[in-house]
Amino acid sequence: MELIKRIEAIIEDPLTARGYSVVRLQFSGANRKVLQIMIERLDDAAINVDDCSIVSRLVSVLLDVQDPIKDPYTLEVSSPGLERPLVKLRDYQRFCGQPVVVTTHQPVNGRKRFQGRLTSNQKEEIKKRKKEAKKK
């Protein structure tokens, strides 16, 4: 986790200066390491291949200079897509009032997947309204 924070600190300001924000960073793989960077545009326009290419080149240079990852790795840059994850507090604030599907790591009352509308958020807690059952 410390590595992810360091990478985000290296790339966040330069990406913001070019009109992008980081949605999520993931570093995975035991034998073949992969750094996945999910981005969005600050102007809320759709991400396209050119955006991913611009960010990939910029991040490659930044990480080559700072060298936070000692082992060989593959860099992947993508858009959040239709099933955009809510990762940071600002994501929950931005999408308050919207329908969401929440998946937890640990079961809550025997379930890990919940659907509803995001109704409020605080630093450590989110609230949702249950999805109403359709009547026939």
Side-chain angles (χ1 to χ4, degrees), residues 17 19 27 30 37 42 45 48 52 57 60 73 78 81 86 88 94 101 124 135:
F27 192 67
I37 303 176
L42 294 177
N48 60 41
C52 292
R57 285 193 302 272
S60 290
Y73 65 95
S78 67
L86 303 180
K88 300 173 182 173
R94 177 177 169 198
V101 175
E124 298 295 326
K135 293 183 180 182

Side-chain angles (χ1 to χ4, degrees), residues 31-61:
N31 297 329
R32 183 180 159 261
K33 298 193 183 313
V34 177
L35 175 61
Q36 297 173 319
I37 303 176
M38 194 177 291
I39 60 166
E40 62 186 357
R41 291 174 54 129
L42 294 177
D43 64 4
D44 289 331
I47 291 290
N48 60 41
V49 174
D50 290 335
D51 293 313
C52 292
S53 178
I54 289 166
V55 170
S56 179
R57 285 193 302 272
L58 175 61
V59 168
S60 290
V61 169

Side-chain angles (χ1 to χ4, degrees), residues 4 13 21-22 32 41 67 73 75 89 106 125 128:
I4 292 296
D13 287 343
S21 69
V22 174
R32 183 180 159 261
R41 291 174 54 129
D67 201 22
Y73 65 95
L75 174 62
L89 178 59
Q106 299 296 320
E125 175 182 90
K128 67 163 190 68

Side-chain angles (χ1 to χ4, degrees), residues 66 85 126:
Q66 297 287 331
I126 61 170

Side-chain angles (χ1 to χ4, degrees), residues 16 28 68 71 75 88 95 112 122 134:
T16 299
S28 61
D71 297 321
L75 174 62
K88 300 173 182 173
F95 291 99
K112 288 185 171 186
Q122 297 174 356
K134 292 183 180 179

